[in-house]
Amino acid sequence: MSEQRVLLIVGGGIAAYKALELTRLLRKAGVAVRPILTAAGAQFVTPLSLSALAEDRVYSELFSLTDEAEMGHIELSRSADLVVVAPATADLMAKAANGLAGDLASTTLLATDKPVLMAPAMNVRMWEHPATRRNLAVLKADGVAFVGPDEGAMACGEFGFGRMAEPQAIFEAIMARLAGPAPRPQLGPLAGRRAIVTAGPTAEPIDPVRYLTNRSSGKQGYAIAEALAALGCEVTLVSGPTALRAPAGVRRVEVETARQMLAACQAALPADLAVCVAAVADWRPAQEGAVKIKKGTDGPPPIALVENPDILATLSAPGPGRPRLVVGFAAETNDVEAYAQAKLQRKGCDWIVANDVSIEGTMGGDDNAVSIVTGQGVERWDRTAKSEVAARLAARMAQELS
Ligand code: CTP
């Protein structure tokens, strides 16, 4: 699904050759690598080898018409999830610590709002020099993370700290950062509980290039996953394709089709709580063409549809594995509460959170006006932010499970 991206700045040092192996490891793990090679770096590795391994072009000049036309330095600094400097030479560290911006690498470091990881590499005396110590302290205070340097024999014949960390160690430091912070310690009213939350649309393939989907943004489901996690719950978020980042402390499983979503939910059982927020496509094309359907002379092709499994109804079915509380959503344009009551019966869930999508700005927007329909009656909540709806709902669920 959404590919993670590293902007890799390769500075000038004998360790630059290790940046090639690092690039290979990242690509193998499915991480996109966009390289910036400094002028000094280009003395040690060629743009061609870096570009071939990264499967992207190499950026190197600040005042290059082609570089700026294709992707300006500001865009470069924003186009990544993480900026990695390997090797981070004494010169690059000094520039970054002092906010200098005389070349593409340093300008990018000054312009970025993304986390930065540096793998220093330099002679041991340079590493131990008070100027480098100062720069290191400043960069750490600015939030830059470091991996290495290691102690060992150096290319210059000396021994000590300054050798760049091995590519495998830098790779692991990158992957740990891309995975986000470790889940928070489980404290709160839902500590020890497990929840499954479905979110986003599903995409149902017609052929290798076309699919059926809907306008769900996933915002409400993601906000609920985040709110449950904030109460200490262990959350599996089963998400269709969205543009959203996984909330901190939540395990996200990315799927495309309704059938994949159901399988992922079933794999995440047992759970105390299931919240089905996803806008699952009710139907899918009966046949997924193995090749792209071509325009023929017979007019548009008929697309036969078959029904998708109902995830909410499946999770609500009575049985030993049923979560204690199963909550569904109902997006309606009219007769909201009457339809929600009917849906509660039909799907066999415990609550339906009904929202009126005829209100402009609800689909894809940040606000939601919902009614909570339970076996006991209906509760209407005023229109408020989706994050607020999520927090109130999570608190209600925690109360129900206590
Ligand atoms: N849902 C599901 N799996 C499906 C269809 C829906 O889990 N295949 C869930 C949704 O996540 C939501 C609830 O069921 O929690 C209501 O979905 P909706 O599409 O509104 O219900 P339908 O049964 O399709 O009813 P209608 O089309 O008549 O509105």
Side-chain angles (χ1 to χ4, degrees):
M1 300 298 298
S2 66
E3 191 177 45
Q4 292 186 295
R5 294 157 306 164
V6 161
L7 185 69
L8 176 63
I9 299 178
V10 181
I14 192 76
Y17 77 92
K18 292 187 187 172
L20 298 177
E21 172 63 5
L22 174 62
T23 304
R24 195 188 65 77
L25 290 171
L26 288 167
R27 290 300 299 132
K28 203 171 132 206
V31 176
V33 178
R34 175 155 286 157
I36 292 183
L37 185 60
T38 66
Q43 302 292 322
F44 294 90
V45 294
T46 69
L48 194 61
S49 31
L50 197 52
S51 165
L53 285 165
E55 299 166 83
D56 197 352
R57 54 156 304 184
V58 171
Y59 294 81
S60 49
E61 284 177 53
L62 181 56
F63 299 111
S64 144
L65 263 184
T66 33
D67 280 9
E68 282 290 311
E70 278 177 24
M71 174 155 321
H73 59 279
I74 300 293
E75 182 53 31
L76 262 178
S77 69
R78 290 189 185 144
S79 66
D81 299 300
L82 179 70
V83 180
V84 177
V85 191
T89 58
D91 179 62
L92 270 173
M93 282 177 62
K95 282 177 174 152
N98 291 286
L100 297 183
D103 60 11
L104 183 62
S106 54
T107 307
T108 305
L109 284 168
L110 192 62
T112 191
D113 56 356
K114 295 298 158 56
V116 178
L117 174 71
M118 290 191 171
M122 64 197 75
N123 164 278
V124 59
R125 283 177 224 291
M126 292 165 76
W127 177 247
E128 285 172 358
H129 194 282
T132 306
R133 304 275 92 197
R134 275 197 304 277
N135 293 334
L136 180 67
V138 168
L139 290 168
K140 282 188 174 170
D142 287 347
V144 174
F146 285 86
V147 50
D150 292 344
E151 190 179 24
M154 293 186 193
C156 53
E158 293 192 62
F159 188 90
F161 278 99
R163 234 169 75 142
M164 188 165 90
E166 289 306 317
Q168 183 65 30
I170 304 174
F171 168 73
E172 282 162 16
I174 292 172
M175 295 314 279
R177 262 159 197 83
L178 290 179
R184 293 166 255 226
Q186 303 222 325
L187 295 171
L190 286 173
R193 304 276 189 201
R194 291 163 55 104
I196 301 169
V197 179
T198 70
T202 64
E204 310 290 339
I206 297 169
D207 67 16
V209 296
R210 304 181 179 95
Y211 54 86
L212 294 178
T213 189
N214 60 66
R215 291 187 193 279
S216 167
S217 67
K219 284 182 186 169
Q220 185 65 82
Y222 274 57
I224 289 170
E226 189 169 15
L228 288 170
L231 298 185
C233 197
E234 193 187 312
V235 182
T236 301
L237 172 63
V238 182
S239 173
T242 72
L244 304 174
R245 278 177 182 277
V250 165
R251 176 174 160 258
R252 176 167 67 174
V253 181
E254 291 174 281
V255 298
E256 287 191 345
T257 66
R259 286 176 296 171
Q260 289 167 354
M261 189 172 269
L262 176 60
C265 289
Q266 285 172 325
L269 287 169
D272 304 281
L273 188 60
V275 192
C276 294
V277 198
V280 183
D282 288 322
W283 306 284
R284 67 173 183 275
Q287 244 134 52
E288 181 188 344
V291 293
K292 187 180 162 194
I293 302 169
K294 302 297 287 177
K295 279 193 293 291
T297 46
D298 313 335
I303 298 177
L305 299 174
V306 291
E307 200 162 333
N308 263 331
D310 191 313
I311 298 160
L312 176 59
T314 309
L315 293 176
S316 300
R322 186 193 193 274
R324 252 179 71 193
L325 182 62
V326 184
V327 180
F329 268 66
E332 309 289 356
T333 53
N334 56 299
D335 300 320
V336 177
E337 283 161 18
Y339 280 134
Q341 285 286 5
K343 218 162 266 182
L344 191 70
Q345 304 297 323
R346 199 169 69 239
K347 307 244 183 184
C349 56
D350 303 298
W351 301 355
I352 285 280
V353 181
N355 62 338
D356 188 342
V357 288
S358 68
I359 301 173
E360 203 177 318
T362 298
M363 291 292 274
D366 292 323
D367 288 352
N368 213 349
V370 302
S371 301
I372 315 298
V373 181
T374 71
Q376 277 73 52
V378 179
E379 207 179 296
R380 292 179 194 90
W381 291 358
D382 287 339
R383 182 182 173 85
T384 180
K386 286 183 178 173
S387 56
E388 179 61 26
V389 171
R392 281 183 69 179
L393 263 178
R396 277 289 299 272
M397 292 174 193
Q399 204 180 22
E400 188 72 16
L401 290 181
S402 66

